[in-house]
Amino acid sequence: MTAALRLDGRRALVTGGASGIGAATAALLRDRGAAVVTADLRGGDIIADVRDAHSVADALLAAGGRLDGPPDLVVTAAGIYRIAPAVAITAAEWDEVLEINLRGTFLTAREAARAMATAGTGGAIVTIASTAALQPDAAEPTAHYNASKAGVIALTTQLAVELAPHRIRVNTVCPGVIDTPMLRLMDDPEAGERFLREGVPLQRLGAAAEVAEAIAFLASDAAAYVTGVALPVDGGLSL
């Protein structure tokens, strides 16, 4: 491994770090040398509700205390996935998905950016979008989820240009069908295997650890000249 991929001395906060992509990312960042704190509504090192501005601010402060300094690497992995036809989605269901996936990403990134800018040391923020932001799916309708993740991409690119003068890079990954607790594709194994065979060029599910590898790259000095990127990690699904 090249030195640029190492994260020695970095202080990382991962929201949604109790399971799935967040947990895999936290483990990999630690393996690469970073000091890591996870925040999650159900578990993690810090209990935090990313929908609540005060809870997010408290989480950043608590993480700074545990890490002996404000995080200079933040991954916003907290999120939920819901399936429903657009005409059946209630206003409350819409709000729940947007509040966690988009508002939560904004609040976390905002607080992280404030802390990094105040510290003056720069840093990296990696958000989690989805290939659902890039293309629709009639078979598994998720209008609220798609909209939230498209918003994450737009938010990420805007933050990238605003925070660049502070030497803060902001990128996002767009996972495809990843084997995590949120995955619903394989509820019908036969239909799921057919989808992988016909719809995913690499013809398999992705692993949370594979998404974590992309996140760790974007957070590292190996990606020092990369900001505002939406990187698909999807086995070719978005093609």
Side-chain angles (χ1 to χ4, degrees), residues 29-184:
L29 298 183
R30 288 191 182 102
D31 186 60
R32 296 279 168 87
V36 181
V37 168
T38 60
D40 203 293
L41 190 58
R42 298 177 179 84
D45 301 315
I46 298 169
I47 303 300
D49 183 349
V50 297
R51 297 169 295 185
D52 182 81
H54 295 295
S55 181
V56 172
D58 288 346
L60 263 293
L61 285 174
R66 287 172 175 256
L67 296 169
D68 295 323
D72 59 12
L73 194 176
V74 172
V75 180
T76 63
I80 60 171
Y81 182 66
R82 299 288 186 266
I83 302 170
V87 295
I89 296 171
T90 66
E93 290 168 339
W94 174 273
D95 289 345
E96 178 192 33
V97 173
L98 271 290
E99 284 176 359
I100 295 173
N101 293 358
L102 183 53
R103 175 185 168 90
T105 296
F106 164 69
L107 291 175
T108 304
R110 184 189 69 178
E111 292 304 315
R114 286 173 172 173
M116 292 177 191
T118 299
T121 55
I125 299 170
V126 184
T127 64
I128 312 297
S130 170
T131 53
L134 308 175
Q135 61 189 67
D137 185 349
E140 193 167 292
T142 56
H144 39 2
Y145 181 79
N146 293 20
S148 72
K149 294 302 187 177
V152 168
I153 293 177
L155 172 64
T156 298
T157 56
Q158 183 62 33
L159 289 174
V161 297
E162 290 191 26
L163 299 179
H166 299 284
R167 296 184 294 116
I168 300 170
R169 297 183 300 104
V170 192
N171 294 287
T172 192
V173 294
C174 299
V177 284
I178 308 298
D179 191 7
T180 72
M182 288 203 308
L183 182 70
R184 298 273 63 87

Side-chain angles (χ1 to χ4, degrees), residues 10-11 22 24 35 38 50 71 92 107 109 171 185 191 195 212 217 224 227 236 238:
R10 301 289 296 277
R11 300 182 299 273
T38 60
V50 297
L107 291 175
N171 294 287
L185 176 69
F195 177 85
F217 163 72
T227 195
S238 56

Side-chain angles (χ1 to χ4, degrees), residues 185-234:
L185 176 69
M186 303 307 292
D187 288 352
D188 181 339
E190 184 176 340
E193 290 295 341
R194 184 169 60 252
F195 177 85
L196 293 174
R197 188 170 58 251
E198 298 174 359
V200 180
L202 291 185
Q203 298 187 339
R204 66 172 177 84
L205 293 175
E210 292 174 307
V211 182
E213 288 282 356
I215 293 169
F217 163 72
L218 291 172
S220 74
D221 287 343
Y225 202 52
V226 179
T227 195
V229 163
L231 176 63
V233 185
D234 64 356

